[in-house]
Amino acid sequence: MTQRVANVPVNAVSPDPTATVRLHVNGEEVERTVSVRMLLSDFLRHELGLTGTHVGCEHGVCGACTVMIDGRAGRSCLTLAVQANGHEIRTVESLAGPEGDLHPVQEAFKDCHALQCGYCTPGMIMNVVSHLEADGDLDLTDEGIRDMLSGNLCRCTGYLNIVSAVRRAAELTEQSHTEQAGG
Amino acid sequence: MKPPLFDYASPETIADAVSALSSNPGAMVLAGGQSLVPAMNFRLASPSVLVDLQRIPGLDTISIDDGVIRVGAMVRHRDLELDDAVNAVHPLIREVMAHVAHVPIRNRGTVVGSLCHADAAAEMPLLLVLTDGAVKAVGPKGERIIAARDLFQFHMTTTRDADEIVTEAHFPVPGTGAGLAFDEFARRHGDYAIAAIGALIEKNGDGTVSRAALAACGIGDRPTRLAASEAALTGTRLDDADLEAAVRAARDEITAPDDMHATNAYRKHLTGALIKRVVAAAAARAK
Ligand SMILES: Cc1cc2nc3c(=O)[nH]c(=O)nc-3n(C[C@H](O)[C@H](O)[C@H](O)COP(=O)(O)OP(=O)(O)OC[C@H]3O[C@@H](n4cnc5c(N)ncnc54)[C@H](O)[C@@H]3O)c2cc1C
Ligand code: FES
Ligand code: FES
């Protein structure tokens, strides 16, 4: 039996192509010249030292690397830094205030004991923040919250406390909106 | 788990994008990256050049006219899902999209990217096939319309030429009175379907079925119409025996081999249960 050689196109790639990218990260403009194959997750962690963004699977399944891209949650491991050029990125480091005062979602995770090792937490929190900031009503039934969290895996908690924390975060957010409107 | 070397191009016109594709063997289109970047991280894909579509103006629009919903190449899943005008004329789109991955993936992934990726278990290709949709492809020889039934060849392979860019997807608005439904079985929420069925039912004044369209994914090497089951339902009142006949007529279409998710026999069982459930749901919505 003879085997046909597959007609594989020859890759004509430069040795290590680079590009200069300019991103808005947590309100600041940053500019770096990086390899075009650098993932946004690695850009945040290694170029900017923002190690709050965690890396679990690097194929979109675990959600640990979730950040906000132009105001909506997205996987930083499935986004190239060059794709994020000119876009606005928010990471978990942007949430707490300068004095260390926690964001309502962080507060709720703390109150409800919604983390153990904390590996999944930054991705969980950025996903929840993105949902809370989006227009439209949230489905805060257990099923609705589980649907919201379905793209974030946690190996420790068993999720029950995370579900409670999301509900608590929605309450805290609601409260702070009413207080702002009232005062 | 890092992408292999490639060159990156970020053209600002379709013409430049097409020429970047046709002048570089092994070049690939990059849309939302939610299928291509993981494939590159796994080193399953190693394009010579990535042609990023995001900076080409005008590709992120959704329009509805002449009974067709036109979805541009950079429209993210989430934008189509949340579009109220689309939901008003074609509510099945929102229902189906709830099954496509998770919100953070849908925030980035595009509808057209999903059609071009053509996973045999993907939901949006099923919807295009169910409703006789089409895509518009632009290449060095100009543009052409590819009907859904001619687009999907087998798992992850379409009849799009390597130097063609799909600029829009066309989802026809279902006729008034048509009832549509969809359901799938997946191990975890947001996974690709182990088996999924979509149905469109239209009825005559006397309650008999005037038109039945059935499409499936996850059960073979591509999304497919279940023509024999459609024939078995047409003209009937969808009695139990008619549904059983439609289930039997679908058996030969379930060709997926045993894999780690399900055996072929289990997929046949699932497909049968889904056909009955989804046809009944579609019929209940038909007016
Ligand atoms: C964890 C996870 C779960 C998922 N679950 C599901 C699921 O349940 N169901 C489902 O359907 N999908 C699922 N997906 C895939 C997701 O829907 C992708 O967004 C989609 O398949 C591809 O869209 P994209 O814009 O990201 O395309 P890309 O990844 O950018 O491209 C995908 C392919 O299409 C080609 N392509 C893209 N756009 C064009 C164009 N305009 N013209 C020509 N070629 C083009 C690319 O070259 C590439 O080969 C999942 C993904 C992940 C990471
Ligand atoms: S590291 Fe990005 S989803 Fe797992
Ligand atoms: S707290 Fe450990 S993975 Fe979630």
Side-chain angles (χ1 to χ4, degrees):
Chain A
M1 202 178 90
T2 55
Q3 212 165 359
R4 268 181 54 206
V5 179
N7 183 15
V8 182
V10 181
N11 281 7
V13 178
S14 340
D16 188 8
T18 58
T20 300
V21 296
R22 196 176 297 146
L23 282 65
H24 297 266
V25 180
N26 298 339
E28 274 175 49
E29 191 166 273
V30 297
E31 190 184 287
R32 295 284 190 283
T33 300
V34 296
S35 166
V36 295
R37 66 188 180 120
M38 179 175 271
L39 300 170
L40 177 60
S41 45
D42 289 335
F43 182 86
L44 295 170
R45 292 176 57 84
H46 305 315
E47 291 292 323
L48 305 183
L50 296 173
T51 52
T53 298
H54 292 172
V55 171
C57 65
E58 288 185 331
H59 63 280
V61 172
C62 75
C65 68
T66 306
V67 298
M68 279 165 76
I69 306 172
D70 295 334
R72 298 203 295 194
R75 303 287 200 242
S76 60
C77 76
L78 298 188
T79 306
L80 300 165
V82 281
Q83 275 180 293
N85 189 10
H87 294 272
E88 201 197 304
I89 310 298
R90 268 170 75 196
T91 69
V92 71
E93 285 89 349
S94 71
L95 295 181
E99 306 298 321
D101 40 326
L102 297 181
H103 182 279
V105 179
Q106 293 173 310
E107 195 72 56
F109 268 64
K110 178 170 158 251
D111 291 353
C112 299
H113 191 59
L115 59 147
Q116 289 178 24
C117 79
Y119 203 84
C120 67
T121 312
M124 289 273 181
I125 289 185
M126 294 316 286
N127 180 26
V128 174
V129 170
S130 161
H131 275 92
L132 289 175
E133 288 183 2
D135 299 335
D137 290 335
L138 283 184
D139 178 356
L140 292 175
T141 60
D142 274 10
E143 201 188 339
I145 295 175
R146 283 171 186 277
D147 182 57
M148 185 194 298
L149 299 174
S150 65
N152 290 80
L153 301 183
C154 175
R155 294 287 84 147
C156 302
T157 62
Y159 300 100
L160 287 175
N161 290 352
I162 302 180
V163 172
S164 315
V166 173
R167 198 170 284 124
R168 175 93 187 114
E171 280 165 20
L172 289 175
T173 310
E174 180 79 9
Q175 263 172 30
S176 74
H177 285 169
T178 339
E179 274 161 29
Q180 270 165 20
Chain B
M1 296 302 292
K2 307 289 178 194
L5 291 173
F6 58 85
D7 277 316
Y8 173 78
S10 186
E12 289 177 12
T13 64
I14 291 285
D16 285 350
V18 167
S19 85
L21 282 182
S22 54
S23 56
N24 292 291
M28 285 179 87
V29 174
L30 175 67
Q34 303 300 291
S35 293
L36 184 51
V37 176
M40 288 168 60
N41 286 355
F42 278 129
R43 307 279 170 122
L44 294 171
S46 65
S48 58
V49 181
L50 270 190
V51 181
D52 188 348
L53 299 184
Q54 70 165 326
R55 285 175 228 285
I56 303 174
L59 291 183
D60 56 355
T61 55
I62 303 171
S63 68
I64 311 172
D65 39 19
D66 296 334
V68 178
I69 302 166
R70 290 183 170 74
V71 181
M74 281 309 295
V75 171
R76 317 276 177 179
H77 289 301
R78 190 69 172 158
D79 291 322
L80 184 66
E81 180 187 359
L82 296 181
D83 193 300
D84 287 328
V86 168
N87 190 50
V89 295
H90 195 339
L92 193 68
I93 288 185
R94 188 174 285 178
E95 278 181 43
V96 169
M97 296 196 82
H99 295 270
V100 178
H102 319 281
V103 172
I105 309 270
R106 298 207 290 277
N107 282 341
R108 302 287 304 158
T110 65
V111 176
V112 169
S114 182
L115 301 175
C116 293
H117 186 62
D119 191 294
E123 292 85 359
M124 294 313 279
L126 176 153
L127 188 61
L128 200 74
V129 165
L130 175 69
T131 54
D132 293 312
V135 298
K136 183 159 115 185
V138 179
K141 287 182 258 152
E143 65 178 54
R144 61 177 176 138
I145 301 290
I146 311 174
R149 78 183 92 83
D150 303 324
L151 179 65
F152 301 106
Q153 273 191 311
F154 35 85
H155 183 50
M156 292 176 65
T157 308
T158 65
T159 52
R160 173 184 78 87
D161 288 335
D163 54 5
E164 280 181 313
I165 291 171
V166 172
T167 53
E168 35 182 70
H170 298 170
F171 290 92
V173 174
T176 48
L180 286 86
F182 170 89
D183 204 357
E184 76 173 32
F185 182 82
R187 277 255 183 253
R188 289 169 307 195
H189 183 100
D191 281 5
Y192 282 101
I194 291 178
I197 295 286
L200 182 154
I201 301 286
E202 286 174 18
K203 285 183 190 163
N204 295 312
D206 65 359
T208 56
V209 172
S210 60
R211 184 169 162 243
L214 280 180
C217 71
I219 62 163
D221 59 5
R222 69 183 121 171
T224 145
R225 283 285 283 274
L226 303 176
S229 305
E230 294 173 358
L233 295 175
T234 308
T236 73
R237 292 183 185 278
L238 301 178
D239 294 331
D240 288 350
D242 305 322
L243 292 173
E244 290 294 348
V247 169
R248 275 196 307 279
R251 285 183 78 81
D252 288 348
E253 298 286 352
I254 304 155
T255 54
D258 297 355
D259 61 22
M260 67 174 178
H261 303 294
T263 60
N264 178 274
Y266 183 51
R267 277 200 167 83
K268 287 197 166 96
H269 169 77
L270 283 177
T271 308
L274 285 168
I275 287 176
K276 289 188 208 167
R277 191 185 305 165
V278 174
V279 168
R285 289 171 173 179
K287 286 192 270 297

